[in-house]
Amino acid sequence: MGCGLALGQFETRGQFTASHRPYSIAVGDFNHDGILDLAVATACCPNGGVYILLGNGDGTFKPGMYYSAGISPTSVVAADFDHDGDLDLAVANSLSDYVSILLGNGEGHFAPARRVPPLPRPRPAFPAATSMAMVGSIW
């Protein structure tokens, strides 16, 4: 992970563990502290999940918290899907026909993943927050 310096350069701040085979990162303030946090989709263990790394505000992160998210998660996007003011996560599972939704509680923690009903082929790969409008209809 690097922090931006002048002239397009980055300063290395360290490496942060989020399991192996990370595929995608979403950035947001998951605990309302004004510091950016990371959600890392990882297709490991054997089903995979999302690691949440809460930011310290100096370019480093606290140890990751793991959340199961489905079969082979390859992409994650953060948005407020349930309109409660807290960021939630949508995770595309590349070896299934569904997207998992993890609702955030505003303190950096997430509820267990809920599956959005099966989607038409091709299988989900890279969800976009703007394409997730149908999520509200499943709650």
Side-chain angles (χ1 to χ4, degrees):
M1 182 66 63
C3 288
L5 300 174
L7 303 173
Q9 300 173 342
F10 289 90
E11 173 186 72
T12 301
R13 288 294 173 129
Q15 295 180 342
F16 307 96
T17 302
S19 188
H20 63 283
R21 294 178 57 191
Y23 277 87
S24 176
I25 297 174
V27 179
D29 183 4
F30 301 130
N31 58 353
H32 296 288
D33 64 357
I35 298 170
L36 291 177
D37 310 308
L38 303 177
V40 182
T42 177
C44 73
C45 314
N47 291 327
V50 177
Y51 276 85
I52 304 300
L53 293 96
L54 299 177
N56 293 319
D58 62 358
T60 64
F61 297 86
K62 294 172 179 56
M65 297 175 285
Y66 174 80
Y67 293 89
S68 180
I71 301 172
S72 196
T74 53
S75 184
V76 60
V77 63
D80 183 9
F81 297 119
D82 59 357
H83 307 289
D84 66 353
D86 303 322
L87 286 177
D88 310 308
L89 302 173
V91 181
N93 297 288
S94 66
L95 295 180
S96 69
D97 294 330
Y98 63 89
V99 171
S100 297
I101 303 297
L102 292 85
L103 298 177
N105 69 359
E107 297 175 2
H109 299 282
F110 293 83
R114 295 183 185 183
R115 292 182 184 180
V116 172
L119 300 173
R121 301 233 180 231
R123 290 182 170 153
F126 300 100
T130 56
S131 68
M132 297 299 296
M134 49 60 144
V135 170
S137 65
I138 68 168
W139 311 129

